[in-house]
Amino acid sequence: MQNNIQSTPATSELALLPFLAWLMASVSLGLSLVLNEGISLAPLFLLCTFFVLLFAKGSWVSDRLDGWLMASFVTYFLSMLLFVYLDGWHTRELDRPVRFLLAIPVLFVLLRLPYKRDLLWYGVMIGALGAFCFAVYDRWILGLDRANGFEHPIMFGNTSLLLGGLSFCAFLYFKAQKGWHKLTVFALLAVSCGVFASLLSGTRGGWVSLPIIVAFIFWQSRDLLDKKLRIWGSCLLIALSVVIISVPQFGVAKRLHEVVTDIERYQSGDFLYNSVGQRFEMWKAAVYMFNMSPLLGVGEYHSVEIKQELADEGLISQSILRFSHAHNEYLTSLSLRGLIGLFFLIVVYLVPLKLFLRKMHLHHHNWNVKAYALAGALIPMSYMDFALTQSMFSHNIGVMFYAFSIVFFWAATRWVEHFQQAKHI
């Protein structure tokens, strides 16, 4: 498909706007875990920019694939609007879903303002490095059991891990551009920082995705990383894993051992302060509620009453009544919004993933473009894994990072694709 994105000549008053817009996108990724609501910086700025550009000369450009991405966001928001209405019209519950809607004018802005080279890579690398610094501060200076920054430890750990994965895409990009350059080495350092920040958070659910993500990236980069380098890299990862598990200060072995002991305690009827056991109880409650209303779910507010009844009947533990979701995105959707809600959740995962994979296939030997598309694909892939043990969209940072980082990397992919095509005209 021909890429019809076009550079819009900027007036002298707006000449700095493209740089500022993309700089803010980079900064929001870089500060996502080191500043409270840091991920919100770019969206706020870009939404204001959208209204400025409404009165500026130039055309708004998008193609069919942009439309598919926007449609997935719109339909997800509309589905949530429907479920909020059916659940008693508690409009405060639209606060998080509306972020998907707000991402659309941001996408229009970034598709209009030319991408400034490499800025997003700097953002994700700084973000991973910042997450590690906060994790070290939390664990080894404040003495906390789990690093968390300004977020819940699970959200902090999952987002740190994703920033590490995005930094590996930066490594591939700089490796293709510059070989073994200082930026290539810095990107590898950022990868390590993101992973170690996740380990220090004790977020076990996110660790499940590591082998899958590593295998996916290594397979996609087999033309860039020779076989010898991939083998040595795999051996190094295995060696590091053994060391990390063996060192008590990281707390990884303790967190993995707790899985076994929690299951044993759960089987003996001990639910209190039992992380794994409480998840089992939340999942059991979600299945009960899904069976009550499989098509549309029972609704978030109605679920409070139902869970209390289930606990009174002894079907679930009283200890989970304080939780508003099932710590599993899929079961949360099934129980609160039924099969229809699960369908729209899957759509908002798979449509962006399919679009990025399409760009990767189209530019499979061009790492100028492929690196951005690979980074974009990692976002829904990671969230689909995180969703097994956490309801990411029940937290502000979960929604903001997903919707807006997808928009950032999609717009960047489109612009870099345009620049590459312009070179051959």
Side-chain angles (χ1 to χ4, degrees):
M1 175 182 292
Q2 184 178 358
N3 187 18
N4 63 356
I5 192 169
Q6 299 174 359
S7 301
T8 302
T11 63
S12 58
E13 294 82 0
L14 300 178
L16 284 177
L17 199 52
F19 175 77
L20 290 175
W22 285 102
L23 177 64
M24 290 301 296
S26 175
V27 167
S28 68
L29 293 173
L31 298 181
S32 54
L33 290 177
V34 301
L35 186 68
N36 194 20
E37 298 296 336
I39 190 65
S40 301
L41 292 176
L44 287 173
F45 177 83
L46 293 170
L47 283 171
C48 295
T49 304
F50 176 77
F51 293 104
V52 170
L53 292 177
L54 284 177
F55 301 98
K57 294 180 180 180
S59 58
W60 300 90
V61 184
S62 65
D63 71 3
R64 184 170 59 89
L65 296 184
D66 304 330
W68 278 107
L69 179 59
M70 289 185 278
S72 69
F73 282 13
V74 170
T75 54
Y76 181 76
F77 168 75
L78 291 178
S79 72
M80 296 300 293
L81 185 67
L82 169 66
F83 292 119
V84 168
Y85 170 75
L86 294 176
D87 195 31
W89 197 237
H90 301 279
T91 53
R92 64 189 297 269
E93 300 305 324
L94 292 174
D95 177 60
R96 288 183 293 273
V98 80
R99 315 297 173 92
F100 284 92
L101 205 60
L102 295 176
I104 293 174
V106 170
L107 177 59
F108 273 114
V109 169
L110 294 180
L111 287 175
R112 180 167 175 178
L113 300 177
Y115 177 59
K116 296 305 175 181
R117 185 175 178 177
D118 302 347
L119 278 179
L120 289 184
W121 299 132
Y122 300 143
V124 297
M125 292 188 296
I126 292 171
L129 182 62
F132 176 72
C133 293
F134 258 67
V136 169
Y137 178 77
D138 283 352
R139 280 291 302 276
W140 294 333
I141 296 180
L142 296 183
L144 302 179
D145 288 337
R146 301 177 65 183
N148 58 67
F150 295 99
E151 305 294 338
H152 188 282
I154 297 176
M155 301 304 299
F156 179 86
N158 286 342
T159 306
S160 299
L161 190 60
L162 181 51
L163 284 168
L166 296 176
S167 296
F168 198 92
C169 297
F171 160 73
L172 295 173
Y173 174 83
F174 290 121
K175 178 72 167 59
Q177 293 279 324
K178 305 174 184 295
W180 288 102
H181 184 266
K182 58 184 178 181
L183 286 174
T184 314
V185 176
F186 182 68
L188 276 181
L189 174 65
V191 174
S192 303
C193 286
V195 173
F196 275 103
S198 176
L199 295 175
L200 291 174
S201 75
T203 305
R204 296 170 298 202
W207 303 343
V208 177
S209 67
L210 268 177
I212 300 171
I213 289 176
V214 169
F216 175 73
I217 293 177
F218 273 17
W219 176 255
Q220 292 295 332
S221 60
R222 62 192 184 277
D223 64 323
L224 179 62
L225 306 178
D226 58 48
K227 185 177 180 179
K228 184 178 179 180
L229 184 58
R230 295 200 304 273
I231 291 174
W232 276 105
S234 300
C235 292
L236 179 61
L237 286 174
I238 294 171
L240 282 174
S241 300
V242 172
V243 171
I244 289 168
I245 293 173
S246 303
V247 176
Q249 285 78 5
F250 287 117
V252 174
K254 177 185 175 183
R255 291 289 292 166
L256 294 176
H257 178 68
E258 286 174 356
V259 174
V260 178
T261 56
D262 281 359
I263 292 174
E264 292 174 349
R265 290 167 56 197
Y266 176 73
Q267 291 174 335
S268 65
D270 179 7
F271 304 118
L272 197 60
Y273 306 119
N274 181 343
S275 175
V276 175
Q278 288 190 333
R279 271 186 171 80
F280 288 162
E281 288 295 292
M282 285 185 274
W283 297 350
K284 186 196 298 184
V287 172
Y288 278 124
M289 291 187 287
F290 169 67
N291 289 333
M292 293 176 185
S293 180
L295 190 61
L296 292 171
V298 300
E300 183 168 349
Y301 283 79
H302 192 204
S303 71
V304 177
E305 175 187 340
I306 293 174
K307 285 190 289 188
Q308 184 64 64
E309 293 174 357
L310 291 171
D312 292 341
E313 295 174 14
L315 297 175
I316 61 172
S317 170
Q318 294 276 353
S319 65
I320 68 161
L321 297 182
R322 60 193 176 95
F323 296 105
S324 60
H325 55 75
H327 276 70
N328 179 300
E329 199 82 68
Y330 308 108
L331 289 176
T332 297
S333 289
L334 278 173
S335 61
L336 304 185
R337 296 177 283 277
L339 289 169
I340 294 179
L342 179 64
F343 170 78
F344 286 107
L345 174 67
I346 297 298
V347 165
V348 89
Y349 286 150
L350 292 187
V351 170
L353 177 59
K354 174 65 175 176
L355 293 175
F356 283 115
L357 290 177
R358 179 171 180 162
K359 294 297 185 184
M360 287 171 59
H361 177 73
L362 186 61
H363 304 279
H364 57 283
H365 291 308
N366 185 349
W367 279 96
N368 289 325
V369 182
K370 186 177 180 180
Y372 287 96
L374 177 59
L378 282 185
I379 299 165
M381 283 182 63
S382 298
Y383 266 70
M384 290 170 73
D385 169 73
F386 300 156
L388 294 172
T389 53
Q390 174 67 332
S391 296
M392 298 290 289
F393 290 169
S394 297
H395 297 262
N396 286 336
I397 190 173
V399 174
M400 291 293 291
F401 199 96
Y402 184 82
F404 288 97
S405 60
I406 281 179
V407 162
F408 297 160
F409 277 99
W410 178 253
T413 300
R414 294 267 282 114
W415 272 113
V416 176
E417 183 182 44
H418 165 72
F419 296 149
Q420 292 296 306
Q421 291 176 351
K423 288 181 180 178
H424 296 91
I425 295 177

